[in-house]
Amino acid sequence: VLFLNAPCTTKATSTWEKIKSGIELFAEVIVGKQLRTSTVNRGIQVIGAGFPRTGTKSIEKALTMQGHYIYDLRSTLQHNHQDRWVKAGREWKEKKETTELESLVRDIEELGFTATLDTPGYMLATPIAKIRPNAKVLLSVRDSPEVWFRSFRFLVEFLDIIF
């Protein structure tokens, strides 16, 4: 498990510098050169285990720069996988079985995805890691639960305003 702390404060003077330095950090230190070797579909290589609002967009950018194709909520909706995720989650929660999740992961890989981030994948990161034991698990966090909650609450309030 790779552990990543997404700090809320930094010495960078602008937002762009913060983003750029974060991308460089992920690309060079966390992700590593081993993921740059090929653009051929390698299956799921990276499993994002961090909650939303923990730097997942910066991680997505870094992984994309490394040639990864990211599976996230947009992908779930685009490929109409919502019901399958619900079924896989229930199966894991109630029976600790992964039959549906294994099928879903295979389908995701057949679509060319090489990494999962954010919702819904982070909620089943543990069983996905059991299905793909050679994949790297990337756990991103905020400085504290309170800092994360403020960020998440802002998102929820913003969505409430626009919808």
Side-chain angles (χ1 to χ4, degrees):
V1 173
L2 299 174
F3 182 77
L4 176 65
N5 186 10
C8 295
T9 60
T10 182
K11 295 188 187 237
T13 57
S14 73
T15 301
W16 173 245
E17 288 173 351
K18 292 176 189 177
I19 293 169
K20 183 179 172 192
S21 66
I23 291 169
E24 289 169 356
L25 170 70
F26 292 121
E28 295 302 323
V29 178
I30 303 298
V31 177
K33 294 180 182 177
Q34 65 191 15
L35 297 178
R36 292 183 216 163
T37 58
S38 173
T39 58
V40 175
N41 183 0
R42 304 167 302 244
I44 298 298
Q45 299 291 303
V46 179
I47 301 165
F51 276 55
R53 310 299 299 171
T54 59
T56 52
K57 289 301 167 200
S58 296
I59 295 168
E60 178 179 353
K61 181 70 174 171
L63 290 173
T64 300
M65 289 170 58
Q66 299 300 314
H68 284 279
Y69 188 36
I70 311 301
Y71 186 92
D72 59 8
L73 183 59
R74 289 172 298 209
S75 311
T76 301
L77 298 172
Q78 179 184 7
H79 297 287
N80 201 28
H81 288 165
Q82 306 89 301
D83 292 339
R84 294 185 70 192
W85 278 103
V86 171
K87 183 177 178 183
R90 285 189 179 135
E91 183 181 77
W92 174 251
K93 180 181 178 184
E94 295 168 5
K95 303 175 189 172
K96 295 296 185 228
E97 293 179 6
T98 59
T99 305
E100 180 63 28
L101 186 59
E102 288 174 30
S103 173
L104 182 55
V105 167
R106 279 191 305 274
D107 289 350
I108 289 167
E109 290 172 332
E110 287 175 12
L111 290 167
F113 293 99
T114 58
T116 65
L117 284 177
D118 225 328
T119 304
Y122 83 94
M123 294 182 274
L124 292 173
T126 298
I128 295 171
K130 290 180 181 184
I131 294 167
R132 294 292 177 264
N134 292 327
K136 304 295 182 205
V137 177
L138 182 62
L139 176 62
S140 55
V141 300
R142 292 297 289 250
D143 291 338
S144 70
E146 295 78 21
V147 170
W148 175 83
F149 181 74
R150 279 196 304 272
S151 176
F152 192 75
R153 186 178 70 198
F154 168 79
L155 176 63
V156 170
E157 289 172 354
F158 176 73
L159 291 174
D160 187 47
I161 291 169
I162 63 171
F163 292 108

